[in-house]
């Protein structure tokens, strides 16, 4: 990206910064869990993100068609459920493992209908990765945490499908902004029921705002820039690094130490995700207005 002074902001660096920002925000969120709980923290982030996006994008709500309203509502509700359930997952299991397990959703989506032998290799690698961290015994990971991460992955796949459909009939920024309003409507009652306003203190608004910026506004802006500058395949390969960044964020900010077996599981999911992108039959041209894979 070139600014008015002619300086260029590399697209690849923008993606890496977006990933780092998103996972740093997730680490901040997990730090709020002991006080607010996962659902209330997710709600705080979504509502503040919606306010930020509405202020900056100022979407016109009057000229939406019935089809657009229906699709953007479903998109927003999926977005809200995905984020809340993911936070519920990482409240029970390490951040890096939660992200790695969640990646199974879009990975399966990319392989649906494929009959090529190479794609079965990526499925096998991902399956081995999940098997390595599956709670086979009472000493393993929290089974609810793993199931929540898998459900978040399924919702992520649905979010990708809806994002692809909505990008054909609406501007990406407008769709995300309105979708966040619907996401807020979904998560607020849950947060209130969990005591958001009882436990929320004014001093928490600052980390809440930082969470909204780091996990939503900043990565969304960076990813939208990158998608206009680099091929979609390159973008997806870079996004495959997200589980590793999440694991390092968990280690650095939350002191979550993974075992060799858990690091291996993260690595296998990363290789499977990158492999699907490299060998998949995807459009190599830069994306235009398509929303990022996971911008919120």
């Amino acid at each position: 990206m070139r600014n008015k002074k002619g300086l260029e902001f590399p697209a690849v660096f923008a993606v890496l910064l977006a990933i780092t920002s998103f996972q740093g925000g997730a680490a901040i969120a997990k730090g709020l869990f002991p006080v607010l709980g996962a659902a209330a923290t997710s709600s705080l982030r979504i509502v503040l993100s919606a306010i930020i996006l509405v202020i900056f994008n100022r979407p016109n709500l009057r000229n939406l068609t019935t089809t657009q309203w229906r699709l953007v509502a479903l998109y927003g509700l999926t977005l809200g459920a995905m984020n809340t359930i993911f936070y519920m997952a990482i409240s029970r299991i390490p951040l890096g493992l939660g992200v790695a397990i969640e990646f199974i959703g879009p990975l399966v989506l990319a392989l649906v209908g494929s009959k090529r032998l190479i794609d079965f290799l990526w499925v096998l690698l991902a399956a081995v990765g999940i098997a390595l961290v599956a709670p086979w015994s009472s000493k393993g990971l929290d089974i609810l945490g793993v199931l929540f991460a898998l459900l978040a992955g399924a919702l992520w796949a649905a979010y990708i499908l809806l994002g692809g459909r909505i990008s054909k009939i609406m501007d990406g920024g407008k769709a995300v902004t309105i979708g966040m309003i619907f996401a807020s409507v979904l998560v607020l009652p849950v947060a209130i029921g969990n005591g958001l306003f009882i436990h929320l203190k004014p001093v928490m608004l600052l980390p809440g705002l930082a969470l909204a910026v780091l996990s939503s506004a900043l990565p969304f802006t960076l990813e939208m820039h990158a998608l206009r500058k680099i091929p979609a395949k390159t973008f997806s390969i870079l996004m495959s690094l997200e589980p590793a960044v999440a694991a390092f964020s968990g280690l650095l900010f939350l002191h979550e130490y993974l075992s060799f077996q858990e690091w291996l599981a993260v690595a296998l999911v990363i290789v499977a995700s990158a492999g699907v992108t490299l060998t998949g039959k995807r459009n190599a041209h830069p994306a235009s207005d398509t929303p990022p894979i996971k911008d919120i």
Side-chain angles (χ1 to χ4, degrees):
M1 178 170 59
R2 289 185 181 276
N3 60 23
K4 294 179 180 180
K5 296 181 180 180
L7 297 176
E8 186 173 350
F9 191 73
V12 171
F13 179 72
V15 177
L16 296 177
L17 184 58
I19 294 172
T20 304
S21 175
F22 186 87
Q23 297 306 331
I28 291 176
K30 194 161 183 176
L32 292 174
F33 288 174
V35 180
L36 294 180
T41 302
S42 174
S43 301
L44 180 64
R45 169 193 163 191
I46 288 173
V47 172
L48 290 177
S49 298
I51 293 172
I52 292 172
L53 289 171
V54 168
I55 291 173
F56 280 93
N57 291 331
R58 297 181 181 179
N60 185 354
L61 305 180
R62 292 176 296 180
N63 59 354
L64 267 64
T65 66
T66 302
T67 300
Q68 289 174 325
W69 272 117
R70 187 183 303 116
L71 197 56
V72 78
L74 185 57
Y75 172 81
L77 294 174
T78 302
L79 182 60
M82 175 183 71
N83 280 275
T84 300
I85 291 172
F86 174 69
Y87 274 23
M88 292 169 66
I90 63 172
S91 69
R92 293 172 172 270
I93 61 177
L95 175 61
L97 293 181
V99 173
I101 295 172
E102 188 192 24
F103 253 70
I104 300 300
L107 181 61
V108 170
L109 177 63
L111 294 173
V112 166
S114 175
K115 297 180 181 179
R116 297 184 305 161
L117 185 60
I118 187 65
D119 288 336
F120 287 100
L121 171 62
W122 310 133
V123 171
L124 178 62
L125 287 179
V128 171
I130 296 303
L132 286 173
V133 297
W136 301 114
S137 68
S138 59
K139 296 182 180 180
L141 292 176
D142 187 291
I143 187 169
L144 272 180
V146 173
L147 291 176
F148 282 146
L150 288 172
L151 179 55
L155 288 167
W156 188 359
Y159 164 77
I160 293 171
L161 291 173
L162 289 168
R165 289 181 59 189
I166 205 168
S167 67
K168 297 176 182 177
I169 61 173
M170 288 182 68
D171 170 75
K174 182 177 182 179
V176 171
T177 302
I178 300 174
M180 287 295 287
I181 296 173
F182 280 101
S184 299
V185 172
L186 173 69
V187 300
L188 261 182
V190 177
I192 293 172
N194 286 341
L196 172 62
F197 295 129
I198 296 175
H199 301 294
L200 182 64
K201 309 297 181 185
V203 70
M204 296 179 189
L205 291 177
L206 185 58
L209 184 60
L211 173 61
V213 172
L214 289 173
S215 294
S216 299
L218 181 58
F220 170 73
T221 302
L222 290 169
E223 289 173 359
M224 289 297 284
H225 159 67
L227 280 166
R228 293 187 176 94
K229 299 292 183 179
I230 59 176
K233 179 172 287 191
T234 303
F235 177 84
S236 297
I237 292 172
L238 291 170
M239 290 299 292
S240 299
L241 297 173
E242 194 164 359
V245 176
F248 281 113
S249 292
L251 177 63
L252 182 62
F253 299 113
L254 303 170
H255 307 293
E256 294 179 338
Y257 297 93
L258 303 185
S259 66
F260 172 78
Q261 184 172 300
E262 291 168 338
W263 276 110
L264 180 59
V266 171
L268 288 173
V269 172
I270 291 173
V271 172
S273 179
V276 168
T277 302
L278 282 168
T279 62
K281 298 178 180 178
R282 295 185 181 182
N283 187 359
H285 299 291
S288 54
D289 248 352
T290 305
I293 291 179
K294 189 179 181 185
D295 50 75
I296 300 297

